[in-house]
């Protein structure tokens, strides 16, 4: 089972989630794909994620998180003991998201949502100081990320499998090229079609 957690202001309509969903469908494994629209509240986002995977054994679960979703995925992986793939993950979102308090819109729908000041404190409760089992993590970080510093990511996920992309951007525009290694890490080989 794969649970995909999108980033701040993003949605299941993001390019990365659509590419992964299409690949899972092509492999006949769409029943093993979950990608919810996350609420703005970190506490509610985590509660939703936990409810979706409550009956999934940790060995059968991989959480893929992009940006803020990567921050959530890290906390969830530490709690559940499952694998996690991090795509340009936020490391200290409390600092980065302070400027976004207020009403803003989702990238893919322009639907308004409110990011409340109390959500900053909620974020703090899901901080992971240091990952405990690096072999359960796969980091993909772009040196050209215009939102977050890839060096923070590389340091935070020290010892994990890492793929540092020279250049690129926060959204990892060429993500299609990384589908096979991401799915392989999730335990889904490229030739797994039934």
């Amino acid at each position: 089972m794969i649970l995909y957690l999108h980033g701040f202001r993003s949605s299941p309509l993001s390019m990365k989630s659509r590419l992964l969903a299409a690949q899972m469908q092509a492999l006949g494994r769409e029943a093993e794909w979950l990608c919810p629209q996350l609420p703005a509240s970190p506490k509610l986002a985590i509660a939703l994620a936990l409810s979706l995977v409550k009956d999934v054994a940790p060995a059968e679960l991989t959480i893929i998180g992009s940006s803020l979703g990567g921050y959530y995925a890290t906390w969830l992986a530490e709690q559940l003991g499952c694998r996690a793939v991090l795509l340009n993950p936020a490391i200290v979102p409390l600092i980065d998201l302070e400027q976004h308090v207020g009403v803003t819109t989702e990238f893919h729908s322009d639907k308004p949502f409110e990011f409340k000041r109390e959500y900053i404190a909620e974020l703090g409760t899901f901080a992971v100081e240091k990952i405990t089992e690096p072999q359960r993590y796969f980091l993909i970080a772009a040196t050209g990320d215009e939102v977050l510093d890839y060096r923070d990511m590389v340091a935070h996920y020290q010892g994990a499998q890492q793929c540092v992309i020279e250049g690129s951007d926060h959204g990892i525009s060429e993500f299609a090229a990384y589908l096979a290694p991401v799915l392989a890490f999730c335990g889904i080989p490229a030739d797994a079609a039934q």
Side-chain angles (χ1 to χ4, degrees), residues 142-166:
T143 65
D145 188 326
E146 69 281 8
V147 178
L148 302 169
D149 191 330
Y150 82 97
R151 292 169 293 199
D152 294 337
M153 304 171 201
V154 167
H156 191 70
Y157 297 96
Q158 192 171 6
Q161 181 176 330
Q162 296 190 358
C163 173
V164 177
I165 303 167
E166 287 300 322

Side-chain angles (χ1 to χ4, degrees), residues 6-69:
H6 63 73
F8 183 72
R9 292 184 64 194
S10 193
S11 78
L13 297 175
S14 77
M15 174 267 299
K16 294 186 294 294
S17 62
R18 284 186 292 117
L19 283 170
L20 282 162
Q23 187 63 28
M24 290 294 282
Q25 186 171 15
L27 294 171
R29 299 181 79 151
E30 58 268 21
E32 299 171 59
W33 169 258
L34 296 168
C35 183
Q37 176 66 54
L38 298 176
S41 159
K43 188 167 69 175
L44 293 179
I46 291 288
L48 174 60
L50 285 170
S51 74
L52 290 171
V53 298
K54 67 181 188 310
D55 298 324
V56 181
E60 304 299 317
L61 175 65
T62 304
I63 302 174
I64 301 176
S66 174
S67 193
L68 181 59

Side-chain angles (χ1 to χ4, degrees), residues 5 7 49 53 59 65 74 81 84 87 90 98 112 115 129 138 154 174 185 189:
L5 303 178
V53 298
T74 302
L87 310 173
E98 179 71 36
F115 187 75
E129 198 66 42
F138 178 23
V154 167
E174 65 286 348
F185 187 81

Side-chain angles (χ1 to χ4, degrees), residues 85-150:
V85 178
L86 302 315
L87 310 173
N88 280 337
I91 306 300
V92 192
L94 288 73
I95 298 165
D96 301 323
L97 292 179
E98 179 71 36
Q99 63 188 326
H100 294 288
V101 169
V103 176
T104 188
T105 56
E106 293 174 5
F107 288 130
H108 307 102
S109 69
D110 287 332
K111 181 178 153 196
F113 76 96
E114 184 178 7
F115 187 75
K116 299 177 181 176
R117 183 156 304 284
E118 66 231 42
Y119 296 166
I120 301 289
E122 286 182 17
L123 280 171
T125 64
F126 302 113
V128 172
E129 198 66 42
K130 184 175 175 42
I131 58 171
T132 56
E133 294 180 54
Q135 71 276 10
R136 288 193 289 106
Y137 293 88
F138 178 23
L139 169 69
I140 298 181
T143 65
D145 188 326
E146 69 281 8
V147 178
L148 302 169
D149 191 330
Y150 82 97

